[in-house]
Amino acid sequence: MSCRDNAADSPPDREAAVRTAHWRVAHAFDSALPGWLVILPLVHVTALDELPAEAHAELGGLLGSLSQALREVVGCAKTYIMQFSEAEGFHHLHVHLVPRMPDQPDHLRGPRIFGYLGASEADRVGEGERDRIAIALRAAVASSR
Ligand SMILES: [Zn+2]
């Protein structure tokens, strides 16, 4: 699915909040938590060390600038970063960058934050809200450069 999405000519804002030479930043489609981001390489790889050093450097910059942008846009206290790419159908490398909110419930802290992912249609952040967050993050990242 990530490869197919990469091929889209003009993806919606929620699928490409930020783009760099090596990466695309999407809002997770099935998250109940606003601002859950997924950073995807533009080429198909399944492990971080299959990418060139320039991609690693870009990723470091993105993690920093997007963390600051999430603080501004959704008001998080900090961010969590995770990379597994093991779920069936989701082996395309993807890095989760997730806002940790000031009032994050105890039972959804640390690795348990994944309780927000795989949400039912009714609980997911809607497309319009995902687009709005993506546009705001893009502006925040641009103003920090
Ligand atoms: Zn892929």
Side-chain angles (χ1 to χ4, degrees), residues 114-127:
F114 278 93
Y116 282 118
L117 211 59
S120 66
E121 290 278 358
D123 291 337
R124 291 177 187 178
V125 181
E127 288 187 353

Side-chain angles (χ1 to χ4, degrees), residues 39-126:
I39 307 174
L40 303 125
L42 297 179
V43 296
H44 181 85
V45 297
T46 57
L48 197 54
D49 61 352
E50 293 169 27
L51 291 167
E54 309 88 78
H56 300 154
E58 265 188 7
L59 178 62
L62 276 174
L63 292 172
S65 61
L66 287 167
S67 290
Q68 184 184 349
L70 281 168
R71 188 190 290 274
E72 295 169 19
V73 172
V74 301
C76 58
K78 61 177 182 181
T79 51
Y80 293 162
I81 302 166
M82 294 141 299
Q83 196 284 115
F84 306 108
S85 311
E86 304 226 277
E88 195 61 42
F90 294 91
H91 287 185
H92 187 112
L93 181 77
H94 57 282
V95 178
H96 296 275
L97 179 65
V98 183
R100 198 291 221 173
M101 302 305 289
D103 58 350
Q104 194 88 17
D106 276 346
H107 71 283
L108 290 164
R109 286 192 189 177
R112 295 185 302 276
I113 192 134
F114 278 93
Y116 282 118
L117 211 59
S120 66
E121 290 278 358
D123 291 337
R124 291 177 187 178
V125 181

